């Protein structure tokens, strides 16, 4: 489904701020699987997601999605195949426009925009029906500007919008991080339900280890622009938060492991 | 909330002033459990100034009560205010309440709190037989002939690199550090990052380790040395403990099992099984990072460790798998530590088998480390140290080396 | 009362400019200075074509396309070459000054006795009032030609406003509006937001060009200087309309812009009648826009102080 091969990206090359955000990353997602990416700050997890979304050009490597080589596609063209939810609840919707108008934009994601009236009566009914499933009472507020909703409501709606038209790939960029704990839990639950019901292929960046353990089928761990661990199948089923923590711990220890430590241990393993 | 404490005979007298509620219960637990860790197992909580006690407060009192009950500690609440008395009696904890101070506890070794070390001679005075199996040397390919099966029976103490099980399948993949003390085995699977595996001998089941390196001691432990902190001396390094016990008993080489509360452990462990070596190799930096994990800090403070090994006054000896014990120490040693979550260790003369049983029936072990003296200048972490504990040991009277 | 009548007519003509700016300033949120050049461009092309005998309607259409072309160049400068919005507009406006001179061949083209878009209506009116040269509108005597222009402009404005309204409510128009509010969101919905900016500027400046065409036909000349300050006037009109009618819905917003433009022309006419020096007009307009932009902040601050004051008491 998604094949990422040997991708690299350096931001601000040849400057003091040079960041090797992605270093030869390879990742393949199978159809109808849900993968979480976790990692420390600056590990490149969001960069990986943005590389797939197409917000910047890669230095090297290739990305294939649903049989197409999308490496050179601009961000808006990739949107034909990809649904996205952002970390910031304000990023995924147009605040001053109504709920119905926002949804109508998402219904035609990646399609030609005609000159027919966008928000028709029959469309309003369709929108009301689906929005009712969120149980947030939004179906009665279809004409209210989306900016009047709470962060949790906006994020739930963005999620619904991103998946309204079944995407080949759903990208979730820490989409519960900016919410209060109660809304975050609700959006996480909704995420799991939608992905399960619609049999979506999803890639989620998360800061929450609990979420990484609870929601997806697979956990990919990143550190300094590389994938350092990949829990799949049986490995994933038994993994718990302490395992994730100690994997990070071990990576950090590996970084402190210098030649003097090697010298010392040669003495103890002689 | 204010907490003051003073020793009163065999008891530690803890004055609490203020409210013991959800806000303060954590602070209260931490403070009191620190006293317990230092060896104060008989507590009197002076509640004459405790103005309020909530259910959260009762919960932590019960928690403290339970943990010291395990080590036969005593727990009283003295001169409680009317409110506290009412709360406790209606909750069914009226038994804790006293209005008169209890006398000294009969048969209690009161001296233990004032001395750093206390030595007990146990019945057995036989020496132990040490056999050293060092067929595999880093970083050679493991041959089938390198593997020695060790049955971990009751009078056997062993440590080294091995893999549990008796079958020959798949074993090449999982050699890791282990220690076996009187039928209790803790083994570190090299690929496992947050827990260790363990096996306990029970009736017909005797755990077997397939070892490529092992130091094995057979026989009884003849001595017990207790060590506990005082205001002047807060913790004990391994070379201090070993130095004291060897000097007191005038031994030159000994096997030991040490159970105690960790101040900090420094050590390493395999994270890739030597069985994965495809050929005899020289693993240099940085490849070594893929094979060994180094604690990188003084790790596992406030945890409990079971340390097992051999110490010797003879010089460092690769053949016998003995390495420097500590800075300026005249001893060489090979020690493995199994790390457990904290449990309270009883004071005084205690039995090795019972104590091991208590540990292995509690929460699972977290790691096995090969303890290392980090002697690097300036950045070195030093050697491992314990706050309080018990060390069983016996002289090595007979030894054999199998290459 | 020809003053009020003239202001009305002028307001209707310039409301096309304001509607164009509604798209660029309010919908795609692009501070577009091209306007000053593209209104002149529309007038220049119209003047040249009509004096060469083109039909006024065809000339107006060409003015629309010319404006659209200018607008899209500004859009490409910004989106493709990453030049700041303001600077892209300034570059295009400056370039248009020379282009307009080239088109006209001189700085002013008079259009006396030429065809105009109001000719048909004038003929119709002539028939209706039996060849009198003035008609009575609510007790005022108005020249026939002024009445014809006013009627035609009312029609045109209503039609343009309605089409614009339908357009903005369409799928395409909704995407255009969203592109101005949240470009990240609209890209994620598969819309090329750069394309939307270019399109929005093209449509906006096309309307401005159209406005220029009608202006030239009404005034009877095209002048290379006529565009100076038009953007600020348009902005003032939009602000005035929004302040009076609000922008709660797209329909209201469009009506607000048209009425705002007319009202603004009326205010100017009245100010001139009361003796305002025409040379000061642009300064006064700028002050007005400045006030309109700053006043909301002041009010907020004032009410903030007031509330703090209450807190103390």
């Amino acid at each position: 489904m998604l094949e990422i091969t040997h991708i690299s990206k350096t931001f601000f090359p040849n400057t003091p701020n040079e960041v090797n955000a992605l270093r030869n990353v390879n990742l393949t997602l199978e159809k109808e699987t849900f993968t979480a990416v976790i990692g420390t700050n600056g590990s490149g997890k969001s960069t990986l997601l943005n590389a797939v979304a197409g917000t910047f050009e890669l230095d090297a490597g290739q990305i294939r999605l649903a049989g197409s080589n999308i490496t050179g596609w601009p961000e808006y063209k990739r949107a034909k195949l990809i649904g996205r939810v952002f970390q910031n609840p304000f990023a995924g919707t147009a605040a001053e426009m109504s709920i119905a108008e926002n949804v109508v934009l998402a219904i035609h994601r990646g399609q030609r925009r005609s000159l027919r009236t966008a928000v028709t009566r029959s469309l309003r009914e369709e929108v009301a029906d689906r929005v009712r499933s969120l149980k947030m009472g939004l179906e009665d507020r279809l004409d209210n500007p989306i900016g009047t909703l709470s962060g949790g409501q906006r994020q739930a709606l963005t999620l619904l919008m991103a998946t309204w038209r079944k995407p080949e790939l759903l990208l979730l960029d820490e989409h519960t991080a900016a919410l209060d704990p109660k809304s975050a839990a609700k959006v996480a639950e909704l995420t799991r339900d939608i992905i399960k019901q619609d049999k979506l292929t999803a890639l989620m960046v998360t800061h929450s280890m609990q979420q990484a353990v609870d929601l997806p089928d697979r956990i990919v761990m990143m550190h300094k622009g590389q994938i350092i661990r990949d829990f799949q199948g049986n490995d994933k089923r038994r993994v718990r938060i302490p395992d994730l923590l100690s994997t990070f711990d071990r990576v950090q220890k590996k970084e402190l492991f210098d030649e003097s430590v090697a010298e010392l241990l040669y003495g103890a393993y002689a | 909330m204010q907490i003051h404490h003073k020793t009163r005979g065999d008891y530690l007298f803890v004055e609490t002033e203020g409210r013991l509620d959800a806000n303060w219960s954590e602070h209260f637990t931490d403070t009191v459990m620190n006293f317990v860790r230092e060896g104060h197992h008989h507590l009197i909580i002076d509640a004459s100034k405790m103005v309020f006690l909530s259910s959260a407060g009762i919960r932590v009192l019960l928690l403290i009560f339970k943990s010291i009950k395990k080590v036969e500690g005593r727990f009283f609440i003295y001169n409680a205010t009317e409110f506290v008395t009412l709360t406790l009696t209606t909750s069914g904890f009226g038994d804790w309440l006293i209005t008169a101070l209890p006398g000294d506890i009969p048969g209690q070794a009161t001296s233990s709190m004032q001395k750093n070390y206390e030595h007990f001679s146990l019945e057995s005075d036989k020496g132990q037989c040490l056999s050293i199996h060092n067929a595999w040397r880093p970083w050679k390919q493991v041959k089938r002939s390198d593997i020695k099966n060790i049955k971990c029976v009751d009078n056997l103490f062993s440590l080294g690199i091995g893999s549990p099980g008796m079958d020959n399948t798949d074993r090449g993949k999982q050699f890791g550090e282990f220690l076996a003390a009187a039928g209790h085995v803790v083994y570190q699977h090299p690929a496992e990052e947050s827990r260790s595996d363990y096996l306990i001998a029970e009736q017909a089941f005797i755990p077997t380790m397939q070892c490529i390196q092992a130091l094995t001691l057979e026989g009884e432990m003849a001595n017990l040395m207790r060590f506990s902190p005082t205001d002047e001396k807060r913790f004990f390094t391994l070379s201090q403990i070993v130095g004291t016990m060897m000097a007191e008993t005038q031994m030159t080489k000994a096997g030991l099992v040490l159970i105690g509360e960790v101040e900090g452990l420094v050590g390493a462990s395999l994270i890739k099984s030597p069985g994965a070596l495809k050929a005899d190799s020289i693993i240099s930096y940085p490849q070594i990072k893929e094979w060994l994990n180094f604690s990188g800090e003084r790790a596992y403070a406030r945890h409990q460790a079971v340390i097992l090994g051999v110490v010797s006054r003879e010089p460092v000896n690769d053949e016998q798998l003995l390495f420097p014990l500590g800075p300026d120490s005249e001893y060489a040693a090979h020690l493995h530590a199994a790390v457990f979550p904290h449990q309270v260790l009883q004071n005084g003369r205690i039995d090795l088998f019972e104590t091991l049983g208590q540990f292995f029936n509690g929460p699972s072990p977290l790691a096995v480390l090969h303890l290392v003296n980090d002697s690097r200048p300036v950045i070195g972490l030093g050697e491992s140290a314990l706050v309080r504990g018990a060390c069983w040991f016996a002289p090595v009277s007979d030894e054999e080396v199998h290459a | 009362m020809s003053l009020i009548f003239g202001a009305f007519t002028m307001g209707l003509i310039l409301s096309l400019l304001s509607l164009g700016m509604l798209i660029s300033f309010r919908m795609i949120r692009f501070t577009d200075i091209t306007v000053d050049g593209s209104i002149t461009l529309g007038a220049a092309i119209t003047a040249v074509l009509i004096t060469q005998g083109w039909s006024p309607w065809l000339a107006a259409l060409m003015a629309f396309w010319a404006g659209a072309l200018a607008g899209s160049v500004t859009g490409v400068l910004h989106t493709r070459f990453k030049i700041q919005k303001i600077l892209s507009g300034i570059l295009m406006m400056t370039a248009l000054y020379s282009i307009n001179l080239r088109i006209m061949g001189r700085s002013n083209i008079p259009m006396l006795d030429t065809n105009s878009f109001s000719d048909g209506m004038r003929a119709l009116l002539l028939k209706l009032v039996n060849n009198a040269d003035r008609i009575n509108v609510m007790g005022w005597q108005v020249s026939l030609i002024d009445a014809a222009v006013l009627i035609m402009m009312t029609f045109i404005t209503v039609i343009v406003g309605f089409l614009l309204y339908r357009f903005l409510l369409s799928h395409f128009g909704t995407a255009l509006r969203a592109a101005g509010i949240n470009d990240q969101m609209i890209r994620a919905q598969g819309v090329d937001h750069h394309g939307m900016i270019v399109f929005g500027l093209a449509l906006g400046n096309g309307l401005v060009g159209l406005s220029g065409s009608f202006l030239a036909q009404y005034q009877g000349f095209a002048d290379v200087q006529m565009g100076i300050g038009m953007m600020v006037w348009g902005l003032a009109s939009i602000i005035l309309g929004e302040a009076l009618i609000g922008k709660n819905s797209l329909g209201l917003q469009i009506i607000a812009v048209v009425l705002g433009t007319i009202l603004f022309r009326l205010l100017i006419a009245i100010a001139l009648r009361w003796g305002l020096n025409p040379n000061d007009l642009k300064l006064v307009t700028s002050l007005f826009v400045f006030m309109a932009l700053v006043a909301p902040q002041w009010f907020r601050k004032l009410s903030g102080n007031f509330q703090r004051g209450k807190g103390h008491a």
Side-chain angles (χ1 to χ4, degrees), chain A residues 75 91 93 101 113 117-118, chain C residues 166 169 172 177 182 187 189:
Chain A
E75 190 179 354
T93 50
E101 283 176 319
R113 311 277 166 170
T117 304
Chain C
R166 297 303 308 178
L169 283 180
F172 194 96
R177 284 184 287 138
N182 186 341
R187 278 198 304 277
Q189 303 305 340

Side-chain angles (χ1 to χ4, degrees), chain C residues 168-202:
Chain C
L168 289 175
L169 283 180
S170 73
H171 287 287
F172 194 96
T174 308
L176 182 100
R177 284 184 287 138
I181 296 170
N182 186 341
D183 60 299
Q184 188 178 24
M185 178 262 187
I186 202 67
R187 278 198 304 277
Q189 303 305 340
V191 174
D192 175 10
H193 100 281
H194 282 162
M196 281 297 174
I197 288 177
V198 173
F199 182 87
L201 287 175

Side-chain angles (χ1 to χ4, degrees), chain A residues 243 247 250 260 266 269-270, chain B residues 137 177 193-194 283-284 376:
Chain A
D243 301 290
T247 303
R250 197 163 268 193
S260 68
Y266 286 139
Y269 286 82
Chain B
R137 309 310 300 269
E177 272 84 3
E193 286 162 2
S194 57
I283 302 220
S284 52
R376 289 176 295 163

Side-chain angles (χ1 to χ4, degrees), chain A residues 221 228-229 231 238-270, chain B residues 137-139 161 177 190 192-195 213 268-271 283-285 288-290 292-297 318 321 323 370 372-376 379:
Chain A
M221 264 177 148
I228 51 155
R229 197 66 202 267
F231 297 95
R238 53 153 223 138
V239 80
R240 296 292 174 269
I241 291 175
D243 301 290
L244 299 178
L245 288 173
S246 40
T247 303
F248 279 126
D249 185 49
R250 197 163 268 193
V251 170
Q252 268 151 9
K253 280 180 183 161
K254 229 174 219 177
E255 275 169 11
L256 294 171
F257 197 126
D258 55 12
E259 284 189 84
S260 68
V261 174
E263 245 357 272
L264 180 74
L265 294 189
Y266 286 139
Y269 286 82
Chain B
R137 309 310 300 269
W139 300 89
I161 299 169
E177 272 84 3
E192 196 56 67
E193 286 162 2
S194 57
R195 51 179 82 84
Q213 271 193 359
S269 59
L270 287 162
I271 52 174
I283 302 220
S284 52
Y285 184 82
I288 187 86
K289 288 189 191 190
E290 306 304 319
L292 289 174
N293 177 42
F294 181 60
S295 57
E297 57 182 344
D318 285 358
L321 303 171
F323 310 109
H370 172 181
V372 170
N373 171 36
D374 185 357
S375 55
R376 289 176 295 163
I379 50 169

Side-chain angles (χ1 to χ4, degrees), chain A residues 76-150:
Chain A
Y76 72 87
K77 195 174 167 197
R78 297 187 193 196
K80 267 180 205 157
L81 307 174
I82 298 174
R84 287 165 77 187
V85 185
F86 304 93
Q87 175 176 5
N88 181 350
F90 297 92
T93 50
E96 290 94 332
M97 292 170 72
S98 72
I99 295 178
E101 283 176 319
N102 272 280
V103 172
V104 90
L105 284 167
I107 291 179
H108 292 272
R109 177 169 48 76
Q111 291 183 314
R112 278 181 59 90
R113 311 277 166 170
S114 73
L115 289 176
R116 293 215 192 101
T117 304
V119 181
T120 57
R121 184 167 298 177
S122 64
L123 180 120
R124 293 172 54 88
E125 278 165 18
E126 185 195 339
V127 172
D129 272 353
R130 269 238 4 228
V131 167
R132 196 170 286 124
S133 69
L134 294 178
K135 297 192 182 77
M136 288 174 169
L138 300 181
E139 60 275 8
D140 302 324
R141 301 166 60 183
L142 290 184
D143 291 322
N144 290 20
I146 222 163
T148 59
L149 307 189
S150 72

